[in-house]
Amino acid sequence: TSGFTWTRFQTFSQLYFPAALALSSDFWRMGLIGAIAAKIGEREVGLFNASYRILWITLIFISSVSGATGIKLGLRLGKNHAKQARQAAEVGVVLCVVLLMLLSGIVYCNIRSFGAIFTSDESYLDLFEEVRLPFTCVLFFMNLSVGIERIPMSLGRTGDVFWAGFVASWFGQVPAVFFLVEYWRNDLYALYTGIGIGYAFLTILYSWMAYSSDFEHYCELAQIRAEAK
């Protein structure tokens, strides 16, 4: 049958609202970290905003791979092929890791050139070089967490994704940034180190979620959502 039903609305809500809240939490978190960068100095917040654009440039590539992984995974879940679904997830993660190793190496070795996209000020470019190690770590783990996140999202575990992101953000990344900037060194090196710690923690949580998932169980749930059963 077609049309609106309360059961379909509940199914949609269980998938949509946790995903929407997870995305909102990401923007609130980065907004707060941006405020911490602004407290360090005007030059630092300017570089933070520019570097965030570099992260998004690399995210285009990882989002493409993770999106394709989600499609492949969803198709196999819909066909009730649990083993092939897990295989699709594993291939997607391996591709993300290989691509990220390449992208991270390119950015690390050419950070000044990437910074020159946004400014020709030598003092800013020097600052890019000073923080390139923690920044590259942020790039790697942020993108990897996005790549792995697609797996539990495709399995329909949006609620678990929200809580994992919430814990890693507000009990991992934000406190790490605050304490490192406040008590270690008041600069972008500490800021990016804290951000990297948070994303590494999130990557671990997502990896455990994906690895421990019972794909046969989620195949059955996918069949129920699609009203194939």
Side-chain angles (χ1 to χ4, degrees), residues 167-219:
V167 169
S169 295
W170 300 103
F171 296 93
Q173 190 174 80
V174 171
V177 169
F178 175 79
F179 283 109
L180 289 175
V181 170
E182 191 72 19
Y183 299 107
W184 181 36
R185 45 191 294 179
N186 188 41
D187 60 13
L188 286 180
Y189 198 99
L191 185 94
Y192 284 120
T193 301
I195 297 173
I197 290 172
Y199 277 127
F201 181 34
L202 181 61
T203 299
I204 292 171
L205 292 179
Y206 283 163
S207 298
W208 174 249
M209 287 173 58
Y211 177 78
S212 62
S213 292
D214 183 347
F215 276 71
E216 291 185 1
H217 171 68
Y218 289 106
C219 276

Side-chain angles (χ1 to χ4, degrees), residues 11-28 149-150 152-154 156-163 165-166 206:
T11 300
F12 173 81
S13 298
Q14 290 169 359
L15 296 174
Y16 172 76
F17 288 108
L21 285 173
L23 184 60
S24 300
S25 178
D26 286 345
F27 284 111
W28 297 334
E149 178 190 52
R150 181 66 64 172
M153 290 286 275
S154 298
R157 301 183 62 181
T158 54
D160 295 332
V161 167
F162 165 72
W163 285 113
F166 183 85
Y206 283 163

Side-chain angles (χ1 to χ4, degrees), residues 31-155:
L32 179 57
I33 292 175
I36 295 175
K39 288 183 65 179
I40 298 174
E42 183 177 332
R43 190 172 61 130
E44 283 77 9
V45 73
L47 187 138
F48 175 78
N49 289 328
S51 66
Y52 200 62
R53 302 299 180 269
I54 298 175
L55 295 177
W56 277 89
I57 290 172
T58 58
L59 188 60
I60 292 172
F61 298 95
I62 299 303
S63 294
S64 300
V65 175
S66 65
T69 300
I71 293 172
K72 291 288 188 181
L73 182 53
L75 289 172
R76 285 159 174 75
L77 290 172
K79 293 178 180 179
N80 202 22
H81 294 165
K83 185 176 180 180
Q84 290 86 340
R86 180 178 287 276
Q87 183 183 55
E90 292 170 350
V91 170
V93 171
V94 170
L95 286 174
C96 283
V97 170
V98 171
L99 183 56
L100 273 173
M101 290 177 66
L102 177 62
L103 290 172
S104 298
I106 292 173
V107 172
Y108 181 83
C109 295
N110 300 277
I111 188 65
R112 201 174 187 91
S113 298
F114 279 94
I117 297 174
F118 305 98
T119 181
S120 58
D121 189 318
E122 289 297 322
S123 65
Y124 279 87
L125 298 179
D126 290 341
L127 190 54
F128 266 111
E129 286 194 325
E130 290 175 17
V131 301
R132 66 178 178 176
L133 177 59
F135 174 73
T136 304
C137 292
V138 169
L139 184 153
F140 183 88
F141 285 112
M142 186 198 84
N143 281 279
L144 185 56
S145 68
V146 170
I148 299 175
E149 178 190 52
R150 181 66 64 172
I151 298 170
M153 290 286 275
S154 298
L155 294 174

